[in-house]
Amino acid sequence: MNVHALVHARIIAALQALQSDGALPPGLDFTNVEVSPPRDAAHGDLASNAALVLAKTAKMKPRGIADKLVMKLKAMPEVQSIEVAGAGFINMRFAPGFWQSVVAAVLKERAAYGRVDLGKGERINVEYVSANPTGPMHVGHCRGAVFGDALVNLLRFTGYDVTAEYYINDSGAQVDALARSAYLRYREVLGEDIGEIPPGLYPGDYVKPVGAVLAKDYGRTLLDTPEDRWLPLVRDAAIAAMLVQIKEDLASLNVKHDVFFSERSLTLGHDEIKATIEELRNKGLVYEGRLPPPKGHDDGEWEDREQTLFKSTDFGDDVDRALMKSDGSYTYFAADMAYHHNKLGRGFLHLINVFGADHAGYLTRVKAAVAALSDGKADLDIKVCQLVKLFRAGEPVRMSKRAGTFVTLREVVDEVGRDPVRFMMLYRKNDAALDFDLAKVLEQSKDNPVFYVQYAHARAKSVFRNAGEVFPHLKEGSPDVLNADLSCLDDPGEIDLIKRIAAFPELVEGAARAHEPHRVAFYLYDLAAAFHGQWARGNDLPHLRFIQPNDGTLTAARLALIEANAHVLASGLALLGVLAPDEMR
RNA sequence: GGCCCCGUAGCUCAGCGGAUAGAGCACCUGAUUCCUAAUCAGGGGGUCGCAGGUUCAAGUCCUGCCGGGGUCGCCA
């Protein structure tokens, strides 16, 4: 049951009926007709802008349309009151019986409550994390990982066939540097004094085990081998080891990808990068030319030369983008173009990429590439996750990759736990910077929204445990609860809680459309607050307590409400990938 | 200098083009013989960075400034 959708459909039907009656002109565009809860609850439960939106094209006064619409809508059985307000808003208020029926619907639909079939089974590819396989994931990767994972959950919940994908940047200079670092560690294991790790290589201790594995697998045989022979072997071993670690890091956050796509696989057999470039060349979008030097900062290294360029300026980019490095190898962008070409070739018409803030400047050219490669038929949404600043009790945590003091994802998860990390990473809009305080996130107080929401769920479960001592037949999901006489739920606080529950499907739909999982987190906080509030009212007013030892009928109805509340809390937390505990200990 | 993100209460932040802009923290006042007080109720606190524009309607969209952060051919 989706209250919002139901009312919206009723309004559209009423508008069409007015057209049949000749009271409204034909050919009106209803797409901007919306239904939304008014900011001020005194205005009612739901309001519509229909009359305001249609006034101009219908060549009628807003209030004139509104009055006619109200006459039609008055017949709605759910409606308790309906009136025209302000410039032409239609404010509706629904009868308690209508809200009570929402509880019954939630109990019937259970985990399916809130599902909206936006995707209609269409396939969509969500690429996220995609960190270099040159070391463990650091805390900055956390946010993209959690964001992507929650977005995948949200899209699956709303009817999309989602492929969660990780692009492994396993070619280019960085993985060669990793291989050389591993080779040094290999020589170290065999007893050589390797001294300082040279600049440009990876000094971290995490490379040492790779050296040990190499020594075990190859003995001393690689020592006398020239670099062009050992490098591919060492590189493969090092990348494989890093990927194992990355997958473990992701698993610690409960983040799962369906596909790990290797950049190097693009050129292993058939050269897909070359094919992609040629395809664009045939479309007139790749050419040989020169770029102006970057403005505004002196770059002594700048060398003017003719190069292979993609005409991204045709798609709104500032400059055309290089596809070949001066040594003849492909740029990262050229490979990434081929990768997106590959995604399109696998039949994806909907693509989402999750980027870190440092890649924000890369966004336009990727969109340009997808537009060019799909002839505008595919859509790509790029979500940029802004920086995460790490604090401990208000003090910034200094990080330096060079000094080896950067904080890994694993350290954060081990220190504060998976649920707080996930929730806090989602308790902020993706494009706003995030301060993450390792000390505060562990405080089990109302300062911490994670525990606040989880506690609401645990509290709901606790009510059932306690109710069972008085009314053994009133178990969760029992017929006596499911068939309770819901007309007892007439306290304003109870109705408010139901209204909050009733808003869930619309909230999910909006979050999925906008690709904004944080909306779910904020919604859950509000829902939890409504529930905690109703609970506490029982402190002052004993007749509002959920368990009424002398009234099994009333208790059953309130338990039904609590069960519906718990269902929605659990569904929402599941979308965020956060546990909904039965008790807090 | 170009481009991207942010700017809303003292602080951290929500806010889908809609009506008198919200929450948490902090501060003040109150609630525990009672289902977990890990909670709740009440109070004060705002030129939504500035200036224009579009619109019946702008915190929200557009343009230009100001401030903070990020990024800037052959790193990924």
Side-chain angles (χ1 to χ4, degrees):
Chain A
M1 178 163 180
N2 185 333
V3 170
H4 197 275
L6 184 145
V7 172
H8 186 261
R10 287 280 162 86
I11 287 178
I12 298 294
L15 288 168
Q16 286 164 341
L18 286 173
Q19 285 182 311
S20 326
D21 298 348
L24 273 179
L28 293 176
D29 181 6
F30 295 151
T31 50
N32 288 328
V33 171
E34 286 174 0
V35 171
S36 60
R39 198 142 54 182
D40 186 347
H43 290 136
D45 298 322
L46 279 179
S48 177
N49 62 353
L52 293 164
V53 168
L54 298 174
K56 192 174 236 181
T57 43
K59 292 182 176 138
M60 296 169 66
K61 289 200 159 110
R63 288 195 75 104
I65 299 176
D67 287 336
K68 288 184 165 61
L69 199 49
V70 164
M71 294 302 283
K72 286 278 182 202
L73 292 171
K74 267 186 178 158
M76 279 172 67
E78 305 87 354
V79 163
Q80 185 178 57
S81 72
I82 179 166
E83 61 202 16
V84 181
F89 286 102
I90 295 166
N91 292 337
M92 287 165 278
R93 196 178 297 278
F94 302 105
F98 175 65
W99 294 116
Q100 288 148 7
S101 73
V102 171
V103 173
V106 175
L107 295 183
K108 199 173 163 197
E109 295 176 41
R110 304 175 66 84
Y113 176 67
R115 279 186 183 273
V116 184
D117 192 13
L118 279 183
K120 300 185 167 47
E122 285 183 49
R123 300 177 66 214
I124 185 165
N125 185 292
V126 182
E127 179 204 333
Y128 60 107
V129 190
S130 300
N132 289 344
T134 54
M137 296 178 54
H138 58 78
V139 65
H141 294 120
C142 258
R143 193 173 185 186
V146 171
F147 176 89
D149 192 61
L151 180 56
V152 165
N153 293 340
L154 193 53
L155 292 170
R156 288 200 172 121
F157 194 63
T158 49
Y160 286 93
D161 178 3
V162 186
T163 298
E165 194 150 320
Y166 186 117
Y167 181 51
I168 312 165
N169 305 135
D170 55 359
S171 98
Q174 295 304 314
V175 285
D176 287 350
L178 174 72
R180 294 193 181 96
S181 313
Y183 187 74
L184 276 181
R185 295 300 187 182
Y186 160 74
R187 284 166 46 191
E188 184 179 45
V189 168
L190 294 179
E192 275 187 50
D193 179 7
I194 59 170
E196 286 278 300
I197 303 290
L201 297 190
Y202 293 94
D205 285 347
Y206 60 85
V207 186
K208 288 181 178 174
V210 182
V213 167
L214 288 168
K216 185 165 166 281
D217 289 354
Y218 292 99
R220 306 184 68 86
T221 59
L222 295 181
L223 289 176
D224 306 321
T225 312
E227 177 175 297
D228 60 342
R229 292 274 302 281
W230 61 252
L231 190 101
L233 300 174
V234 172
R235 192 174 53 202
D236 285 354
I239 290 172
M242 292 305 120
L243 274 179
V244 167
Q245 183 160 16
I246 284 170
K247 287 179 186 178
E248 283 173 7
D249 287 350
L250 290 169
S252 76
L253 271 177
N254 211 13
V255 170
K256 292 194 192 89
H257 292 79
D258 303 309
V259 174
F260 281 79
F261 190 97
S262 153
E263 176 182 355
R264 182 155 359 139
S265 73
L266 291 166
T267 49
L268 273 186
H270 168 65
D271 188 342
E272 292 187 46
I273 303 179
K274 186 179 179 188
T276 302
I277 292 175
E278 288 316 308
E279 189 173 318
L280 289 172
R281 200 187 291 276
N282 291 336
K283 290 182 181 179
L285 294 170
V286 166
Y287 66 102
E288 307 299 316
R290 292 171 187 278
L291 283 181
K295 286 172 186 159
H297 69 290
D298 292 328
D299 187 349
E301 298 294 303
W302 176 260
E303 172 199 354
D304 189 25
R305 67 180 180 89
E306 187 169 90
Q307 48 189 338
T308 307
L309 298 169
F310 168 58
K311 233 178 157 180
S312 53
T313 48
D314 276 13
F315 303 89
D317 204 357
D318 306 317
V319 289
D320 293 337
R321 301 294 175 174
L323 299 176
M324 310 288 286
K325 301 181 196 172
S326 53
D327 66 0
S329 62
Y330 298 116
T331 60
Y332 176 78
F333 177 55
D336 206 14
M337 258 183 13
Y339 171 47
H340 284 83
H341 186 250
N342 182 287
K343 287 188 203 172
L344 295 169
R346 280 183 278 149
F348 291 106
L349 288 174
H350 306 296
L351 304 175
I352 298 176
N353 290 357
V354 179
F355 282 3
D358 52 341
H359 287 62
Y362 187 68
L363 186 149
T364 313
R365 76 190 78 167
V366 180
K367 285 192 169 184
V370 167
L373 290 166
S374 71
D375 297 314
K377 291 192 181 79
D379 52 76
L380 166 66
D381 187 19
I382 300 183
K383 306 301 282 188
V384 175
C385 288
Q386 285 297 325
L387 299 180
V388 175
K389 279 183 239 165
L390 210 55
F391 292 81
R392 187 183 300 277
E395 291 299 311
V397 177
R398 300 277 169 216
M399 281 187 281
S400 159
K401 223 170 193 174
R402 210 159 23 95
T405 58
F406 64 96
V407 178
T408 64
L409 176 151
R410 198 53 174 277
E411 287 165 345
V412 172
V413 175
D414 287 349
E415 182 172 337
V416 308
R418 174 195 294 168
D419 286 337
V421 170
R422 289 194 60 121
F423 197 96
M424 292 314 289
M425 291 286 169
L426 292 167
Y427 201 61
R428 186 113 322 167
K429 244 183 330 189
N430 61 286
D431 50 12
L434 169 64
D435 293 344
F436 189 90
D437 195 307
L438 291 163
K440 272 191 188 163
V441 87
L442 273 181
E443 283 174 20
Q444 301 202 0
S445 70
K446 60 182 168 183
D447 201 358
N448 188 335
V450 187
F451 291 104
Y452 186 84
V453 174
Q454 287 186 319
Y455 180 42
H457 184 266
R459 213 173 211 186
K461 297 289 177 177
S462 143
V463 176
F464 271 96
R465 284 193 294 270
N466 288 305
E469 292 178 11
V470 188
F471 302 107
H473 61 295
L474 294 182
K475 290 193 168 53
E476 217 180 334
S478 65
D480 287 313
V481 171
L482 297 185
N483 301 318
D485 177 8
L486 299 172
S487 65
C488 316
L489 298 174
D490 56 359
D491 176 72
E494 289 167 348
I495 298 287
D496 277 350
L497 181 55
I498 298 173
K499 286 177 184 173
R500 202 74 73 163
I501 289 169
F504 184 58
E506 164 65 9
L507 178 280
V508 165
E509 180 174 344
R513 276 190 201 282
H515 303 156
E516 289 182 354
H518 77 273
R519 295 191 196 186
V520 177
F522 283 96
Y523 168 81
L524 288 175
Y525 187 90
D526 288 343
L527 178 61
F531 176 59
H532 285 312
Q534 186 59 17
W535 166 296
R537 291 183 72 207
N539 286 337
D540 293 334
L541 307 168
H543 69 279
L544 290 180
R545 293 180 191 172
F546 300 128
I547 300 167
Q548 296 291 324
N550 301 321
D551 192 340
T553 307
L554 182 56
T555 302
R558 289 182 176 166
L559 288 178
L561 172 57
I562 286 166
E563 184 167 336
N565 172 58
H567 272 309
V568 175
L569 286 168
S571 290
L573 285 169
L575 288 173
L576 304 183
V578 175
L579 289 176
D582 285 356
E583 54 183 347
M584 306 288 277
R585 290 295 177 205

